[in-house]
Amino acid sequence: MRIFVFSLKIFTFGGIVGLLILLPINCTGSQLHDDSDFQNKSLDSFSISNVNNGSNRLWIHFCAAYVFTGVVCILLYDEYEHISSKRIACFYSSKPEPHHFTILVRGIPVPHGSTCNDIVEHFFQEYHPSTYHSHSVVRRSSKLQILVTDAERLYKRLTQLKDKDNAPQRHRRDGCLGLFGHKVDILDHYEKTLGDIADNVRMEQSSLAGKEIPAAFVSFKSRFGAAIALNIQEGVNPTDWSTEQAPEPHDVYWPFFSVTFIRRWISKLVAYVACNILTILFLIPVALVQGLIHLDQLETMFPSLRCILRMAVVSQVITGYFPILILQMFLSAVPPIMIMLSSLQGYISWSQIQKSACSKVLWFTIWNIFFTNVLSGSALYRLTIFLEPKEFPRVLAEAVPAQASFFIAYVVTFGWTNIASELFQLIPLLYNYINIIFVGDSDDDDFEAPSIQYHSEIPRILFFGLLGVIYFILAPLILPFLLVYFCLGYIIYRNQLLNVYMAKYQTGGEFWPTVHNYTIFSLVLMHIIVIGIFGLKKLPIASALTLPLPILTLLFNEYCQKRFFPIFKAYPAECLIKKDRQDQNEPNMPEFYDKLVKAYNDPALMPIKYSGGSHKPLLPCADV
């Protein structure tokens, strides 16, 4: 929600300056020689491109760039300070949480003939005798997790069928979606399948004790003790006994644990290469979109369609709606792919996977939706511009204003409709409807509230913020459309967060550094484009005087990184020790320490939920 509040503050100020000061200056220019009436004016007439070359009015744009940058930096500082204070206040008011007392240790050197369990216990009793509490060794239980998940799902359906006792619905085909295969009694079929899975679970758990991974969750008696173990090198070899902060127990991503430093490094490299390949492949739909925007190119390629393409209705639909629809269809597949790539990198929690995917989607959006559309949409699209950095501001200065109408249509078509679809939740509604028809899973008691998809929502919101920052100087006509988007977003997402979504983990404001860095990037990019614009407009003095602006912005960012970012990486010793002393007077701490022993046990090793009255763990407690 702070993203929407912050964006509304920025673009309310930007809208006042842009619409009341910059837009009239752009409209009264005559550089583009557009003599049509107001209703038929081209959108380019409302951009800075219409201001006469060398005009003194451009100094107003120069002043606006400095004032807008100053206001954004002041708001960034206030938000960073506000969220940092809220993060500390939340920590002080929180109850004892297992992840505050626990770290994950990887790369445990296990000699031949020893077990990881014994090595971990001996090491931490030897080197952390006063603070060490307990540990839980990680096991390779991915196959067991799949079996347990399948068993729980079948048991739930079996219970629903027995409760309904609806004879006509009990008979169904056992093939795909219940449409193919032999007709069977679904109750008997589920019971037989569940028995087979239970046998496989017992076979898998019998061999699980020997499948230890050289990794363990190690818990301590105090938060400060855990922080000391986390921030010092445990062994002589830095790749052995490597430590990282443990996530919340229910946030642990159990299906994948990279066992060695080399494997984690290779998986990150593979994910990086795959992201670049996906970025290159995405050039195909972008080229298709740009072809639809420029009808002259379509007329050249398909001369037989020239008469149809010149019809007013057809040209407006093809150039205005179809390109955005095509981009939206292809772009909707990007967040799931980035989640898959991030999950292969060895992250141990769902929150880390989402943060990694969020960064990937962010930079993918910047390149493919902004830079590729801007550069491929102009005659200046040449690969050699990346070999000529001095020409980059000039290239962007000519290409970015020309795409203002495309991005206004993008905000209206993609932004507004996406906000509306967020409210109606059409895709989950259709999924549940199909699930009820073909699977028969309609038990309201087992309903699980959805969680917000940070990796797809945050990049989308920040990209619209980037468009507003860049086009504040170039084409301020986009700002009213963005204000409508952020106003609707604030209202709708406030309702969704309060009444629809349920948080799977506590972010603690950890996404805000991403918002801050992305806003700084947007400002610097705007400065580069403005430098090029003043150069094209024959105002070299203004171009030269704008050069300090990105430098000052980066210095401000460096100060914020030193001032606030460490609080988001780890809590300071002052807070940890104060909280530990506060907990010494809590009467329920012994009970918390008892629960801490089993907090990070693998859920696949917990008692079987579908085994009737005999709830036995898959492994003895001593082996877990």
Side-chain angles (χ1 to χ4, degrees), residues 6 89 91 102 148 150 156 161 172 175 190 197 236 249-250 254 276 288 301 312 342 370 373 384 400 472 531 555 612:
F6 172 70
F91 174 75
T102 307
V148 172
D150 292 342
K156 184 179 70 172
L161 285 174
R172 186 176 298 178
Y190 280 168
I197 293 177
V236 176
H250 56 271
W254 295 102
N276 283 276
L288 176 62
M301 296 174 60
S342 297
F370 183 75
N373 272 290
T384 54
V400 174
F472 162 73
I531 291 172
L555 289 175

Side-chain angles (χ1 to χ4, degrees), residues 387-408:
L387 303 177
E388 303 171 1
K390 294 181 180 180
E391 295 295 318
F392 200 64
R394 181 183 63 81
V395 171
L396 290 178
E398 292 188 5
V400 174
Q403 293 294 315
S405 58
F406 169 79
F407 285 117
I408 290 176

Side-chain angles (χ1 to χ4, degrees), residues 359-580:
S359 298
K360 292 182 176 66
V361 176
L362 269 173
W363 295 111
F364 182 92
T365 306
I366 291 173
W367 172 250
N368 283 289
I369 306 301
F370 183 75
F371 282 112
T372 307
N373 272 290
V374 163
L375 297 176
S376 64
S378 67
L380 297 167
Y381 184 64
R382 297 175 291 127
L383 293 177
T384 54
I385 64 173
F386 299 103
L387 303 177
E388 303 171 1
K390 294 181 180 180
E391 295 295 318
F392 200 64
R394 181 183 63 81
V395 171
L396 290 178
E398 292 188 5
V400 174
Q403 293 294 315
S405 58
F406 169 79
F407 285 117
I408 290 176
Y410 185 85
V411 172
V412 175
T413 306
F414 183 60
W416 292 5
T417 56
N418 184 265
I419 286 291
S421 64
E422 173 64 33
L423 180 63
F424 291 107
Q425 295 284 318
L426 292 178
I427 294 178
L429 178 65
L430 292 175
Y431 172 79
N432 289 333
Y433 182 73
I434 295 173
N435 198 43
I436 291 173
I437 293 178
F438 293 104
V439 181
D441 187 3
S442 60
D443 191 0
D444 294 336
D445 296 334
D446 293 323
F447 172 76
E448 183 178 355
S451 61
I452 186 169
Q453 303 297 312
Y454 292 106
H455 63 284
S456 59
E457 301 302 324
I458 291 179
R460 183 183 301 118
I461 297 169
L462 290 180
F463 181 71
F464 288 122
L466 176 137
L467 294 180
V469 170
I470 290 176
Y471 281 101
F472 162 73
I473 296 291
L474 307 180
L477 191 61
I478 197 175
L479 296 178
F481 301 98
L482 286 173
L483 278 173
V484 172
Y485 171 80
F486 287 117
C487 286
L488 291 175
Y490 176 81
I491 296 171
I492 292 175
Y493 274 95
R494 182 179 177 84
N495 171 74
Q496 302 298 89
L497 292 173
L498 292 176
N499 303 317
V500 178
Y501 290 129
M502 178 177 292
K504 286 188 176 181
Y505 56 89
Q506 295 296 326
T507 62
E510 292 182 359
F511 280 99
W512 187 256
T514 301
V515 178
H516 177 91
N517 295 334
Y518 196 73
T519 306
I520 292 293
F521 171 83
S522 303
L523 285 174
V524 173
L525 183 59
M526 184 262 284
H527 300 155
I528 294 173
I529 297 173
V530 168
I531 291 172
I533 283 285
F534 290 143
L536 290 176
K537 290 294 182 180
K538 312 300 181 184
L539 207 65
I541 298 178
S543 184
L545 292 177
T546 310
L547 287 174
L549 199 52
I551 298 174
L552 293 174
T553 303
L554 293 175
L555 289 175
F556 165 77
N557 180 58
E558 185 65 20
Y559 171 76
C560 289
Q561 295 296 324
K562 299 291 185 182
R563 170 65 176 83
F564 299 112
F565 185 65
I567 299 176
F568 290 83
K569 291 184 63 178
Y571 292 106
E574 177 185 353
C575 298
L576 296 174
I577 295 173
K578 283 184 178 179
K579 189 65 177 173
D580 287 336

